[in-house]
Amino acid sequence: MKNRTLSQRVVKIVHEYSCYTRRMDKLRTLEIFIATCDGGTFAAAAKLCCSDPSTVSKAISRLEAQLGFTLFHRSTRQLRVTKAGRHYARAVRKMIQDLSSCENELKHVNDTCQGTLRINCAVCYGHLYLRPLLKEFCQQYPEIKLELEINDLHVDIIESEIDVAIRTGYIEDSRLVARRLSPMDFLICAAPDYLAQNGVPKNREDFHQHSWIGFRIKESLQLQPIFLPDEYGEYLPYELERHHITDDGEAMAHLCMDGFGFAQLPHFLAKHGLDTGELISPYPYFRPPQPDNGVFAIYPKRDYLPARVRIFVEFMTNALAIRGENANNTWASELKVS
């Protein structure tokens, strides 16, 4: 059964390749036909097409057989285009001209900073990091129009015709390029008022005496693990009761700022609260060791990447560098703990 399925796939691939080859042969034959019209002889057409007269003559004969009518009256000295041949030549010239114009237009769009850029981004990162940067991006590249999708769904980028997705983590897919914009660092945070009333935990065991805000992952409905430092400063998973639970990252950060308890927040969720003093982080950051940890720009693998995708990824890289983030570090590594 397995061999039969494999054979069917091979037959399908061979058929598709054969169809593709025939289409390419037909286009080459039409180019020879126009060259013959312009040159007036097989020898002249051969020179124009970098071929030889015998190949040109056979190509014209095959084309006439396919069409079922004569394109040239042949004599020993020259060729004369038939009435049907002149009519066919007008149509072929227009087709080749339209095809050339289309190719030039598409190449221009692909090579210049214009056109529609379709972006898909994770919700929290989209609202907190991406959206504030888009005005500057559009000011720099006014010919680019944006289509922005913000959701936490795992969309098929190619099927959905997404130009670039910004995701926390990535799915291994040989069709895609995943360029890491930054790691994803986690910080244990709490509001100053909460710490003033309840004190700062001295060790992992002390967290049992504190309220904790948990995050439920929508896809799996599992609670996100909590990692706390042991006596050697090494972060290990630790089981704690979650007194409050949410499946929205921004809600978790706001609950933490409102004094509901501790939360372990990704750096992009913790940044605003730490900058304004609404949050305090009493421990160093934690970075998961997995290779898919981080924030990634993901886009289809192409031989000729559209300029709008390339400059957007470069723009994001430069904008994050100003924030103190790159592929290997975030600002959290420089944060002085309280």
Side-chain angles (χ1 to χ4, degrees), residues 13 15 21 34 40 49 64 66 80 91 97 108 145 161 205 217 224 229 239 254 262 273 277 283 294 319-320 323:
I13 292 170
H15 174 72
T21 303
I34 294 300
C49 295
E64 288 177 325
Q66 292 170 6
R80 185 163 54 86
Q97 183 179 7
H108 177 71
K145 298 177 182 178
E161 297 183 341
E205 294 299 324
I217 303 167
Q224 189 174 55
E239 189 57 44
H254 283 290
F262 280 94
Y283 294 102
L320 290 174
R323 291 177 177 242

Side-chain angles (χ1 to χ4, degrees), residues 45-336:
K47 184 176 289 188
L48 289 171
C49 295
C50 299
S51 185
D52 59 83
S54 175
T55 300
V56 171
S57 176
K58 290 176 182 177
I60 296 299
S61 296
R62 283 197 305 271
L63 181 59
E64 288 177 325
Q66 292 170 6
L67 296 173
F69 55 80
T70 302
L71 296 171
F72 297 96
H73 294 302
R74 295 158 173 81
S75 69
T76 55
R77 294 185 178 181
Q78 65 176 5
L79 300 174
R80 185 163 54 86
V81 186
T82 65
K83 183 178 180 180
R86 287 194 297 272
H87 183 71
Y88 190 59
R90 284 195 294 271
V92 172
R93 288 184 196 277
K94 184 177 186 306
M95 183 201 73
I96 292 176
Q97 183 179 7
D98 289 346
L99 181 61
S100 179
S101 297
C102 179
E103 289 174 349
N104 290 335
E105 180 182 349
L106 292 174
K107 187 176 186 304
H108 177 71
V109 170
N110 197 69
D111 293 346
T112 57
C113 300
Q114 65 176 33
T116 299
L117 179 67
R118 297 196 66 201
I119 306 170
N120 180 280
C121 189
V123 174
C124 294
Y125 198 89
H127 286 304
L128 298 173
Y129 264 45
L130 176 61
R131 185 197 54 75
L133 298 173
L134 292 180
K135 182 177 180 180
E136 180 185 349
F137 176 76
C138 288
Q139 286 174 341
Q140 290 186 28
Y141 305 99
E143 295 301 314
I144 294 179
K145 298 177 182 178
L146 300 179
E147 284 190 16
L148 179 62
E149 297 180 2
I150 295 185
N151 57 57
D152 287 326
L153 303 174
H154 286 287
V155 299
D156 186 316
I157 294 173
I158 294 176
E159 184 70 23
S160 302
E161 297 183 341
I162 300 297
D163 288 310
V164 58
I166 307 296
R167 288 285 156 192
T168 52
Y170 70 92
I171 299 174
E172 289 189 10
D173 189 328
S174 60
R175 303 172 304 164
L176 304 175
V177 175
R179 177 170 167 180
R180 188 157 83 162
L181 299 176
S182 77
M184 188 160 62
D185 293 333
F186 289 83
L187 298 119
I188 300 169
C189 298
D193 289 347
Y194 177 87
L195 294 177
Q197 294 174 13
N198 298 280
V200 177
K202 303 298 183 186
N203 53 54
R204 296 199 302 170
E205 294 299 324
D206 285 353
F207 271 106
H208 285 293
Q209 312 303 319
H210 288 267
S211 177
W212 191 270
I213 305 164
F215 180 77
R216 177 171 282 125
I217 303 167
K218 292 179 182 178
E219 284 81 7
S220 64
L221 300 181
Q222 299 295 312
L223 291 176
Q224 189 174 55
I226 297 169
F227 290 83
L228 297 176
D230 61 13
E231 61 271 24
Y232 304 106
E234 182 180 358
Y235 275 85
L236 299 171
Y238 199 70
E239 189 57 44
L240 286 169
E241 179 185 356
R242 279 73 155 184
H243 297 80
H244 312 286
I245 296 173
T246 179
D247 64 356
D248 182 87
E250 287 185 90
M252 180 170 65
H254 283 290
L255 288 171
C256 193
M257 287 187 279
D258 291 340
F260 280 75
F262 280 94
Q264 193 159 39
L265 301 172
H267 68 276
F268 50 85
L269 271 175
K271 189 174 192 317
H272 174 75
L274 292 172
D275 286 347
T276 60
E278 295 174 272
L279 288 177
I280 290 175
S281 179
Y283 294 102
Y285 72 96
F286 162 66
R287 180 179 298 171
Q290 291 81 4
D292 64 345
N293 165 59
V295 179
F296 292 85
I298 304 172
Y299 47 89
K301 188 180 291 183
R302 301 172 180 173
D303 290 333
Y304 304 100
L305 187 67
R308 62 185 181 276
V309 176
R310 176 177 50 78
I311 60 100
F312 174 74
V313 175
E314 289 175 358
F315 172 86
M316 286 295 298
T317 301
N318 294 333
L320 290 174
I322 295 173
R323 291 177 177 242
E325 299 185 25
N326 56 46
N328 300 312
N329 289 291
T330 75
W331 51 264
S333 61
E334 303 295 329
L335 184 69
K336 294 181 180 179

